[in-house]
Each structure stands twice: as structure tokens, then as C-alpha cells.
Amino acid sequence: MRENTIRYGIWSILAMLLLVAAVKRENHFDNTKENAGDTLDWPKSFGFGRKASAIQIAAWDIDISPDGKGLPAGEGNVLQGREIYALKCAACHGATGTEGPNDRLVAAPDSTGKSTGAASDARRTDVRRIKAIGTYWPYATTVFDYIRRAMPFNQPGSLTDQEVYSLTAFLLNANGLWDEKVTLNAKNLPKVKMPARNNFVPDDRTDGPEIR
């Protein structure tokens, strides 16, 4: 009886080994077939999705160059921008663009970042220049571009072009860079000379990946 049990166990083990070997062999052939299939030409289309229309592409193609290329038609003014800012921006950037809690937007062009006693400035060091639109951003067109694509935080892309022009005019004016009585549009926005423009230099390093 014991010998039969041992013999049965040995045959069971051999059968299991043979089964494992057969499965491995089958998988080997399947993989070989798959690899061989990879050398075949892929179809031009798998039938997924649809071709984007010119209108759909234009809705995403909204980048603006420093020279103003890509700016849309329309205009805005400081008065309207002040109202829009209070409604849609002040909660994150403060009533005057200096309080936060998010990034500071307003600072005089000659600001050094010294503490004035206000809570927002008390957290800043005396040696660092305040990084706001008037002291750090190199191009005025960047203000328009960023607001249009990313603001307000809870509804990015919801502002009309006129609202963006008005907000840009308000913020430039708050930084001492735009006349409150002048309407802002695609023609005069690129002409605004930002105080920090010459502080940015081209990256001409060639000892690593070159990104331009």
C-alpha cells in the first residue's frame, strides 16, 4: 500500500512537471508570434476619435508671443478691470494684489521688498526683491496670456477677452505701468516696457541639453 502511494506521488510530480513544461513551450511560441507581428506595418488609423476641426484647434491655440503675436481683438480698461478683480481675483491675491494668500501681483517697480509693517511684507526678507508683475515679469503680454489660460483658479479659461484686457490694464496700472485713462488693446499692450525685461538673459550654455 505504501509503495503504491509513493509510486502515485512520483507519477503526479512527473505529470505536473510535464504540464509546466508544455505551458512554457506554448507561451514561448505565442511570444514568438507576437514579436513577429510587431514587424508588420501598423494601419494609418485604428478608428478611434475624429479629426479636430479648425475651430477646435483654434480654441486651444491661444499662446501669445512676447511681441504680441496671437493677441485677440478687443479692449479693456482699468475701471472695468478693478471691478472684475474684486469679484474674481481678490480672494486669492488680496484686495490690492499684495495681501495674498497666493502670489503677490502688485509692487512698485523700485520696490526692494523691505518690510513696511504689514503682515504680508513681514514674512519677506529685506534682501529679496518682491517678485510681482511690476518688478519681475519681463513682458506685459505674459500677463494677458497667463490670465486668459489659467485664471481664475476655480474657473480657468472662463474670462472673455475683454475681461482679460481689463484685468491686465488694472494690474499694470496698479504696478505703475499703465495710465488709468488709456484703453488697453492688442496694439498698445506689446509696447509696454516692463522694468525687469533687461534682467533676463538668454541661456547660451552648451555643456548640457540645449533648450531654447
Side-chain angles (χ1 to χ4, degrees):
M1 184 71 174
R2 184 177 180 182
E3 292 180 357
N4 291 338
T5 301
I6 294 174
R7 186 180 298 109
Y8 177 78
I10 293 174
W11 282 111
S12 298
I13 294 173
L14 290 175
M16 186 177 296
L17 292 174
L18 290 172
L19 179 61
V20 170
V23 171
K24 288 184 176 180
R25 182 179 179 83
E26 183 177 354
N27 289 338
H28 171 73
F29 283 120
D30 288 343
N31 291 334
T32 301
K33 292 178 180 179
E34 291 178 1
N35 293 335
D38 288 342
T39 62
L40 300 178
D41 293 334
W42 292 100
K44 292 183 178 180
S45 173
F46 288 95
F48 299 121
R50 55 179 176 161
K51 186 176 181 180
S53 66
I55 296 177
Q56 291 173 322
I57 294 175
W60 285 96
D61 186 19
I62 61 173
D63 59 293
I64 298 170
S65 302
D67 62 0
K69 183 179 180 180
L71 281 170
E75 60 183 22
N77 58 68
V78 175
L79 181 60
Q80 293 177 345
R82 183 179 292 110
E83 296 175 353
I84 299 170
Y85 179 89
L87 181 64
K88 299 186 177 184
C89 311
C92 289
H93 299 284
T96 65
T98 63
E99 299 88 354
N102 289 352
D103 292 350
R104 180 168 180 163
L105 302 177
V106 177
D110 59 351
S111 174
T112 59
K114 293 183 178 180
S115 174
T116 61
S120 60
D121 286 335
R123 296 191 299 269
R124 303 178 185 277
T125 64
D126 291 343
V127 297
R128 291 188 61 186
R129 178 182 291 273
I130 295 174
K131 289 186 177 180
I133 291 174
T135 57
Y136 186 70
W137 292 39
Y139 299 100
T141 52
T142 308
V143 183
F144 184 100
D145 180 85
Y146 187 77
I147 292 175
R148 183 165 70 154
R149 72 172 62 252
M151 294 290 118
F153 180 77
N154 61 331
Q155 289 182 308
S158 62
L159 299 171
T160 66
D161 291 337
Q162 180 173 327
E163 288 176 322
V164 179
Y165 273 119
S166 295
L167 279 172
T168 304
F170 167 72
L171 291 172
L172 291 175
N173 174 262
N175 282 276
L177 301 171
W178 190 255
D179 189 339
E180 184 175 2
K181 299 178 181 180
V182 179
T183 299
L184 188 70
N185 54 47
K187 292 183 178 180
N188 53 26
L189 176 57
K191 297 179 181 179
V192 177
K193 182 64 181 294
M194 302 297 280
R197 180 180 299 185
N198 295 333
N199 295 336
F200 289 80
V201 296
D203 183 0
D204 57 359
R205 294 172 295 179
T206 57
D207 57 343
E210 297 181 25
I211 301 176
R212 296 291 184 264

